[in-house]
Structure formats: structure tokens, C-alpha cells
Amino acid sequence: MNISKSNRGRATAAVSLAAVLALTATACGDDGSGSGDEGSGKGEITFWDNNGGPRTEVWTEIIADFEKANPDIKVKYVPIPIADVQSKYDTAIAGGGLPDVGGVGTAYLANIVSQEALDPLTERIEGSSLKGKLVEGMVASVKDAAGRGDDLYTVPTSANNGTLWYRTDLFKAAGLEAPTTWKQFYEAADKLTDAKNNKFGYTIRGGAGSIAQALDATYGQSGITEFWNGDKTTLNDPKNVDALTKYAALFKKNTPSADVNNDFTKMVAQWDTGTIGMLSHNLGSYQDHLKALGEDKFAGIPNPIGDGGTRVQVSNPVDGLGLFRTSKNKTAAWKFIEFAASHESNSKWNESAGAIPANTEAAKDPWITESASTSAAATSLTDGSTKIVNLPYYLPDWNNISKADNEPEFQKLLLGKVTAKQFLDKIAEELNAAQKEWKELGNG
């Protein structure tokens, strides 16, 4: 579980599994129905799933449970592909058509909050059955990412963790150990590659979502544990340049050439159906691998440990549910959020996704320790071996800088058209300017 925070120090970098399991609370307050001018609490509400497709089945089940418990409310489910979420929200904010409830991750939360599109939720939580039952570290991350002090603009539902998935059958056949260090990772990438027979050691993400994966590998190897050094980012530090140069050199040498266009869906499908040794993603793709490969052919472990003996990872977003200000029935919308974040629903969703629950009662459920990859992810953040580089989700420009603006530049890097230094210098310049602007507005 990776929990993000800014340099302001309000958030906890990670919440130990022991702390999660120890948290208890009592339900109190009203049913979260809100005041009388927030709709009748009946009728239809619209819910946008921010990872439509992979999570449609479990959301369909949760919605059916909710409608059974609340027969006067119907939920219109709209699956939004994860790659299109921010643009969909931006378009709807500008032109109308926002949902009542939407999945909102911390990676793009600040952008939506800056457009005044979400209702603050702190008071609603305090008066609901969720009071005291949300993991404190995730709550802190959501507050921090929004950049509005102690205001909470989504109810956190889950946290993910960077994971190195590897084919246990291929490793065993090649006489290789689990790639727990970067040295072992690169050795395995070489040994498992037989390009003439379409066998590769690794699949690299070159399309949508590529930069977060690249940053994880970069900081993981360099050992740098802070994203900012004063008001300047460490992104283009020479150690990071060397690390990214080595990582990008895997392309076409130890990866398929088609990887330059890989988004999440293509990358996972390719790994699940081919003979590729390793894949970097997060806990969220567990069910895809399980369905395609079965339990005996793969395993997921935390990202490799660096030469200094410490695992360094960049923070992964905390997912959550937001209540949009334009909703005409906030009473019903809040009931749905409260239900979805409750013990049973939150546990059901996270078990399906292989992620870590935000509901403290759900975090006590047996499946957490029974799932090897989820348990290992939690343990890696409590045994002292992991340091988190906290990405600046609070910057309204973060998502554009780290995705749309520079994903084509990463493809140029893979194709040898720019160097790692040129790539990182460009992003660093943009981030330094965004941080300066953010502070000039009175933040930080």
C-alpha cells in the first residue's frame, strides 16, 4: 500500500497493516441523508466508475446489493475507461453532464477540486456510519492530494501498491530465483529473452500510463527518497538519469517492440497470454492474471530492493468516491457512497481488485492475509525496507505533466530520439514551474 503525501508533512507515508487492523470505531450519527434541500433521497442517481471494465462485475454486484437495501433508489452505472477519466470529468465540468457520484483517484483529485466540482465531505462522514472507520493514512492522503487543508473531497476506498509480477513457471524452468533485487531483475530479463522465438524477459509500458511505471523503476534504482529538494524536484538528478537510461534500454532488447504503444490493457493481455517473464503494474491486475494463468504460474512481489538494501517506491494513488456539487439528489448519492464504503461492500470490492481496503473493519477480513501478493505488499511497508517517494498529486497540473503532456516524450526516449536526461529535464522544468505557481497562490 503506497500512501502519498506532500512536503507539508500532514500525511503519513504509509499505514502499517498492524495499525490498520488495530483501528476500531463505533457507528454514530444519522444516516447521512443530509438536509431537506438535497433531493428526496429517492429516484435515480448516476455513478461513474473510474476504471470501467475491470471492475464492472464487482460494482454491478454492489449496486444490486444497494438497490435491494434501498428500493426507492436506482443507480445508473456508467463505466469510464481509466485512461479517459480526467478528460471525461474535465469535459463534463465545462459543458455539463457530471454524475451524482464518481470514482476519483488522488492522481487527478486536485484538478477536479480546483474547478470546484466536488462537495466537501468531512461533515457528512462525521454524521454517518463511516465516522472513525476509514484508515487514517488514506484519509490524510486524500486531504493532502486535494490541497485544501483539512477538507476531504472523496471518501477513500482503496490503496494499491507497485508490484512486480513474474512467471514462476518460466523462472523455475530457467533456474532463476524470484527477482527481489534490481540485479536479479536485469539478470532475469536477459536470461528469459529469446527474441527469435518471441520470448522476452519483460514487458515495458510505453503507452498511456507509462510515466508512473518509469518513475517507480527510476527512483527504485537510484535510491533517492525525496521528490523535492527545496523548491526543485530531484527527478533529473544524475542518479535518476542513470537509472532511467538503464531501464529504457530494456526496450526491444528484452521486450517486444510493440511495447512502445502498450497501455495497461495491452500490457496485461500480452503478459497473460504470452511467454514474457516479468510485468510491472500494481495489485489491481491480480484477478486478470489469475483468470488467465491460474495460481501456479505467477506470483506478485513488491518492487525490487536497491543496491543499498532498501526498497524505494513512488506513491500510488488512493482511490475514492466523490459527491459532485451539481447533483440534484445528494441525499441518495451520499447513501450510495456510504454503502459502497461500508465494511461488506469495501471488503468485497478490494478482494476482487486485490487492493487494500480503506474501511478499517474490511481490513480485518481473512482474505487480506490469505492473498499472498496483498499480504506481501502490506508487509513490505511495515518491515522497514521500503521508503516512499511521494509524488505531488496536490499540484493541479500534475496529471497533465505526468501523463498527456509527456507520455509521447517517453515513447521518444524508448525509440532513441531523446536521451533520459533530456526527458527528465523537460518534466523537471515543468514541475518546478508548477510548484512555484502553487506556492505563489499561498499554498505550502
Side-chain angles (χ1 to χ4, degrees):
M1 171 175 56
N2 286 351
I3 306 295
S4 68
K5 65 175 182 178
S6 77
N7 290 342
R8 292 165 287 164
R10 293 195 308 269
T12 302
V15 177
S16 71
L17 184 60
V20 170
L21 299 181
L23 289 172
T24 58
T26 57
C28 62
D30 60 30
D31 64 359
S33 61
S35 60
D37 61 354
E38 294 198 335
S40 65
K42 302 178 181 180
E44 183 178 83
I45 59 171
T46 299
F47 164 56
W48 284 9
D49 176 6
N50 59 339
N51 193 7
R55 306 290 172 250
T56 295
E57 184 176 347
V58 67
W59 272 123
T60 300
E61 186 175 343
I62 291 171
I63 289 169
D65 292 342
F66 174 76
E67 291 179 342
K68 183 177 180 180
N70 298 272
D72 292 331
I73 304 173
K74 298 298 179 184
V75 179
K76 179 181 179 182
Y77 171 80
V78 181
I80 307 294
I82 192 169
D84 300 335
V85 170
Q86 181 167 333
S87 62
K88 289 285 187 181
Y89 280 136
D90 286 343
T91 299
I93 290 169
L98 282 167
D100 299 277
V101 178
V104 180
T106 50
Y108 48 90
L109 175 61
N111 174 67
I112 298 176
V113 169
S114 69
Q115 298 180 76
E116 308 296 340
L118 290 168
D119 255 12
L121 300 175
T122 304
E123 290 186 8
R124 294 181 190 272
I125 292 172
E126 284 295 306
S128 78
S129 61
L130 297 177
K131 181 180 180 180
K133 294 187 178 181
L134 298 173
V135 173
E136 292 178 359
M138 295 193 203
V139 170
S141 294
V142 170
K143 289 180 179 179
D144 190 76
R148 294 285 182 91
D150 287 333
D151 286 334
L152 195 70
Y153 283 87
T154 65
V155 173
T157 54
S158 68
N160 238 320
N161 195 62
T163 301
L164 180 62
W165 301 102
Y166 71 102
R167 288 285 298 271
T168 52
D169 55 341
L170 301 182
F171 270 68
K172 183 178 180 180
L176 292 167
E177 297 180 356
T180 57
T181 68
W182 282 104
K183 181 180 179 182
Q184 291 173 324
F185 168 81
Y186 282 107
E187 288 175 349
D190 280 333
K191 191 165 185 179
L192 294 173
T193 296
D194 181 4
K196 292 182 179 179
N197 291 305
N198 201 36
K199 297 179 181 179
F200 298 95
Y202 187 62
T203 176
I204 200 167
R205 190 169 182 170
S210 59
I211 292 178
Q213 178 179 305
L215 294 187
D216 219 7
T218 298
Y219 279 95
Q221 294 175 83
S222 73
I224 296 171
T225 58
E226 297 291 339
F227 193 80
W228 297 105
N229 182 9
D231 290 332
K232 302 294 183 181
T233 180
T234 60
L235 188 62
N236 56 342
D237 183 283
K239 291 182 180 179
N240 277 339
V241 172
D242 290 344
L244 183 58
T245 299
K246 187 174 183 180
Y247 180 74
L250 291 168
F251 177 65
K252 291 182 72 173
K253 175 177 176 285
N254 300 116
T255 79
S257 58
D259 280 6
V260 70
N261 293 314
N262 268 0
D263 58 9
F264 158 73
T265 304
K266 293 176 183 176
M267 180 177 67
V268 170
Q270 177 177 257
W271 193 72
D272 286 347
T273 58
T275 53
I276 298 173
M278 296 176 289
L279 160 75
S280 295
H281 188 237
N282 56 45
L283 293 170
S285 54
Y286 170 74
Q287 291 294 338
D288 297 299
H289 310 322
L290 184 63
K291 291 176 183 177
L293 301 171
E295 293 182 358
D296 299 330
K297 291 185 178 180
F298 79 99
I301 58 176
N303 283 356
I305 294 172
D307 293 340
T310 300
R311 179 181 292 107
V312 178
Q313 295 187 224
V314 300
S315 53
N316 275 309
V318 172
D319 211 0
L321 295 171
L323 175 60
F324 284 88
R325 287 190 172 181
T326 54
S327 172
K328 302 299 183 183
N329 198 347
K330 293 178 183 177
T331 299
W334 173 251
K335 283 184 178 179
F336 176 66
I337 291 175
E338 186 178 9
F339 184 91
S342 67
H343 175 188
E344 182 178 353
S345 298
N346 192 241
S347 185
K348 182 180 295 185
W349 191 96
N350 281 280
E351 183 175 12
S352 173
I356 301 173
N359 185 291
T360 56
E361 293 178 328
K364 301 174 187 177
D365 288 346
W367 69 265
I368 293 284
T369 53
E370 292 171 0
S371 171
S373 54
T374 304
S375 180
T379 300
S380 75
L381 293 167
T382 64
D383 63 4
S385 68
T386 302
K387 301 294 183 182
I388 304 299
V389 177
N390 296 291
L391 300 179
Y393 300 128
Y394 58 87
L395 292 176
D397 291 336
W398 166 251
N399 217 37
N400 285 327
I401 292 172
S402 64
K403 290 188 177 182
D405 291 352
N406 286 295
E407 285 172 348
E409 294 299 312
F410 185 70
Q411 291 179 315
K412 291 180 183 178
L413 171 61
L414 295 181
L415 295 170
K417 295 180 180 180
V418 299
T419 67
K421 185 177 188 305
Q422 289 171 326
F423 172 75
L424 292 175
D425 280 347
K426 178 180 183 296
I427 301 179
E429 182 179 358
E430 294 170 3
L431 286 169
N432 290 338
Q435 175 78 348
K436 181 181 178 181
E437 180 181 359
W438 184 76
K439 286 198 168 185
E440 286 175 348
L441 292 173
N443 301 299

